Amino acid sequence: MSNTTDTPITEQSQNLTPPCTPPPYHLGKASANTEEFEQRAIPSISNPPGSKAQGNCSSTITPTAEETLSWDMISPRTCTKSYQMSSYEELGHGAWSTVYRAIETPETSPSRLPTPPTSPVSLSGKSAIGRVLAIKAPARNDAHDILIHEARVLTYLHSSGRASEYLVPFHGYNVTSKSLVMDAIPLNLETHAKSCLKRVRADFSTRTMFDPVCGSQEWQSLATQLIGGLEFLHSNRCIHGDIKPSTILLCPIEDGTSETYTPLYCDFSSARIFNDSDVGSIEQAQQITALTLDYASPELLTSLRSTSAVATMAADVYALAVTLVVAAIGESPYAGASMEVLKLSMAREGKVLQFARQADQGTRIMKGKMVERCLKDALEKDVEKRYTAKEWKDSVHIILEG
């Protein structure tokens, strides 16, 4: 896309807007949301129905817990994990990719008995045979470089021992089908927040009207883990570039009394990495080709017509803070905007909390209360005053522990 072409802005309900031409994979500027659910024709991929990808998931990297490989050294981790796709069951798709459901199958030998049919799958993503996998395949021929770039980013990040705490498990890149192989996690934060909002509207209580729609304990847990995850990404010089509720998956944890969730970041097709020698500036900075208006920072929205509109760590912080507002009130802070042009004007003002307090769930983020205190400095319009991920993490720890 040329610098003179206006950057498309996507609505909250239309998360993906492909650029005119795909960017080179090493710049990683396309967005392909693995959790977009729409009805459309299912494209063909390399593996036919009923086929298997044979072998074991392998990696050439053996990092220590605190060590991450240099980005320049990274090639996509090769995965030949064995999995079964009995039919093209689509989990979701985006501008560049389609995500299919598959079942991990164990390696067999001639002396072993045949594997029994697949058992029903639980929400935890496991079956009697093996875990449920998400196969992220290219939806069109020009998407191959985009997925290779995402595989490089995930390989780089997973070279750190801490990645499993914050990212959807990544099993590698299937060279045959040109696909990414990941754990399938059926629930995202967007769907969960909407469900919580529907529940509190149906069962209103003055006792809980000042709590986040998902509950105070759950919100605090989500905030702590997601902010910690963002600090992990930024400490490894990764800018996600597309943080929003639909790119955060919720892995259920059953503690025996209630169901809680571990939030995990996914969809790194818009991510990019600082060069080792480029700390303090953006790697080969280029125009943003698509963004979701509701989660875009004011500085991005005011610079869309110039070459300075690039995703930054500060923009990531802002996007996550808006995402946590949605987790608190169950909907976009701009849900009351009657027209898209009005929403754009509101978003450019950088007054997310003020607009959110005008909604019917505004009591949940009242000034001086826990949610507002945790988010206000991450939502600063002035980039110089906005928290870094590390500062935000430390501040929230003090607020919640105090």
Side-chain angles (χ1 to χ4, degrees):
M1 180 177 291
S2 67
N3 291 341
T4 59
T5 302
D6 289 347
T7 301
I9 302 175
T10 62
E11 300 181 30
Q12 188 177 8
S13 60
Q14 183 186 350
N15 295 313
L16 301 163
T17 305
C20 297
T21 56
Y25 77 85
H26 60 280
L27 297 182
K29 295 310 299 170
S31 179
N33 182 3
T34 63
E35 294 301 309
E36 293 304 312
F37 289 87
E38 301 175 18
Q39 296 297 321
R40 71 173 178 86
I42 299 176
S44 62
I45 59 175
S46 298
N47 291 342
S51 67
K52 288 185 179 181
Q54 298 294 331
N56 295 313
C57 185
S58 61
S59 172
T60 58
I61 49 180
T62 54
T64 63
E66 299 298 329
E67 185 178 353
T68 305
L69 293 181
S70 165
W71 170 249
D72 296 331
M73 297 170 58
I74 294 296
S75 295
R77 175 191 299 183
T78 300
C79 179
T80 54
K81 177 180 283 292
S82 177
Y83 56 84
Q84 179 77 39
M85 295 176 64
S86 58
S87 63
Y88 284 129
E89 181 179 343
E90 185 177 329
L91 298 178
H93 73 269
W96 302 98
S97 62
T98 304
V99 182
Y100 299 96
R101 178 181 178 275
I103 299 292
E104 180 183 4
T105 56
E107 288 299 309
T108 60
S109 64
S111 61
R112 295 182 61 179
L113 294 175
T115 302
T118 303
S119 300
V121 178
S122 69
L123 283 178
S124 62
K126 294 184 179 180
S127 71
I129 290 181
R131 75 180 72 197
V132 182
L133 300 174
I135 311 302
K136 187 174 184 179
R140 47 201 247 193
N141 289 334
D142 57 1
H144 294 162
D145 283 350
I146 305 301
L147 294 190
I148 290 174
H149 167 76
E150 183 172 2
R152 285 190 73 210
V153 171
L154 290 172
T155 300
Y156 166 76
L157 291 173
H158 279 275
S159 71
S160 166
R162 296 173 57 209
S164 60
E165 300 175 35
Y166 307 116
L167 311 183
V168 172
F170 171 63
H171 302 294
Y173 181 73
N174 186 324
V175 178
T176 303
S177 62
K178 299 180 174 63
S179 304
L180 277 66
V181 181
M182 300 168 285
D183 273 9
I185 300 175
L187 182 64
N188 65 39
L189 182 56
E190 180 179 45
T191 301
H192 182 60
K194 289 179 179 178
S195 176
C196 291
L197 176 60
K198 183 178 180 180
R199 185 183 67 246
V200 299
R201 280 177 170 166
D203 187 24
F204 176 78
S205 171
T206 55
R207 185 174 57 86
T208 59
M209 64 183 291
F210 296 102
D211 298 334
V213 293
C214 61
S216 290
Q217 282 192 326
E218 182 176 309
W219 189 91
Q220 290 178 37
S221 177
L222 288 173
T224 299
Q225 293 178 80
L226 287 171
I227 295 168
L230 186 62
E231 191 271 334
F232 164 77
L233 293 179
H234 289 181
S235 68
N236 283 291
R237 299 191 299 279
C238 176
I239 298 170
H240 186 284
D242 195 24
I243 295 174
K244 52 192 174 187
S246 60
T247 59
I248 294 169
L249 303 186
L250 302 180
C251 186
I253 303 173
E254 297 181 7
D255 61 9
T257 58
S258 62
E259 190 171 70
T260 55
Y261 301 95
T262 297
L264 301 170
Y265 287 99
C266 72
D267 191 0
F268 285 81
S269 54
S270 293
R272 61 175 178 235
I273 309 294
F274 284 112
N275 285 328
D276 289 338
S277 60
D278 204 23
V279 176
S281 62
I282 300 298
E283 176 196 25
Q284 300 185 29
Q286 75 281 356
Q287 269 190 303
I288 292 174
T289 53
L291 68 136
T292 307
L293 189 155
D294 298 63
Y295 307 96
S297 61
E299 68 271 14
L300 291 183
L301 294 174
T302 56
S303 59
L304 286 176
R305 295 179 181 273
S306 72
T307 57
S308 62
V310 294
T312 63
M313 291 184 177
D316 269 359
V317 168
Y318 194 92
L320 179 55
V322 179
T323 295
L324 290 171
V325 170
V326 173
I329 66 174
E331 60 185 357
S332 167
Y334 312 117
S338 57
M339 296 181 295
E340 197 66 15
V341 65
L342 177 59
K343 182 190 288 188
L344 176 59
S345 176
M346 294 166 69
R348 281 176 171 163
E349 289 186 44
K351 298 179 180 179
V352 175
L353 292 172
Q354 291 91 320
F355 289 126
R357 279 195 286 266
Q358 296 172 17
D360 66 336
Q361 302 298 319
T363 56
R364 303 180 188 280
I365 51 172
M366 293 294 290
K367 193 169 184 179
K369 297 293 184 180
M370 179 264 296
V371 173
E372 191 262 357
R373 291 170 60 208
C374 287
L375 300 183
K376 63 179 183 177
D377 291 308
L379 288 168
E380 274 283 353
K381 183 177 182 180
D382 187 340
V383 177
E384 297 300 320
K385 295 180 180 179
R386 191 180 305 158
Y387 273 159
T388 64
K390 178 65 166 62
E391 291 169 338
W392 192 13
K393 177 183 175 182
D394 293 342
S395 173
V396 168
H397 175 77
I398 291 172
I399 291 171
L400 298 183
E401 295 295 322

